[in-house]
Amino acid sequence: MNEKKELILALGSNYEQEKSLADAMSRLRDLFGHDTIFSKRMWTEPIGIESERFLNCLAFTHTSHKLEHLYRSIKYLERTCGDRKRARANNIVKIDIDILKYGELKLHEKDWSRYYIKELMKDCPFNDWM
């Protein structure tokens, strides 16, 4: 069995935001276990698209899965939550889930400097998230 790694995910939605986020959070708990912790939720203005405001939060959990498997699982989860390429082409993001941290690996470097990510990271239960 692989060693468990800390995992931080960023969630965001600009369509039926509260419902979409709640659905994704429930599915993430099913995927990673009920010890998954979520930050507070935060409304933000869209970045790079014209749309409704986004509702965002972070998920903190552990995984023994390889990164490639996580990418596939998260993309599948987005689809099962109703996220579609055609909707995204029209600036509708039902749910977007990005891997920010996988073990020692930090991903989506630009996101780490965004105000809302910094603010939501205050809820991080991991001691060494920086």
Side-chain angles (χ1 to χ4, degrees), residues 12-25 41 43-44 51-56 93-95:
S13 174
N14 72 354
Y15 181 79
E16 296 180 339
Q17 296 95 321
E18 292 186 24
K19 180 180 180 287
S20 297
L21 221 54
D23 185 25
M25 291 166 75
R41 297 175 184 190
W43 290 97
T44 61
S51 77
E52 298 293 320
R53 292 184 311 158
F54 276 78
L55 185 58
N56 303 276
V93 181
K94 183 110 182 212
I95 191 69

Side-chain angles (χ1 to χ4, degrees), residues 2-3 5-9 32 63-75 98-108:
N2 292 336
E3 173 188 335
K5 296 179 177 3
E6 291 177 352
L7 181 65
I8 301 174
L9 305 171
F32 294 109
T63 185
S64 57
H65 293 291
K66 294 193 180 293
L67 187 57
E68 302 79 29
H69 175 77
L70 286 174
Y71 276 124
R72 286 192 306 274
S73 296
I74 288 171
K75 290 302 161 197
D98 293 326
I99 301 171
L100 292 182
K101 187 171 186 283
Y102 173 77
E104 299 301 314
L105 183 62
K106 284 175 77 173
L107 305 159
H108 295 274

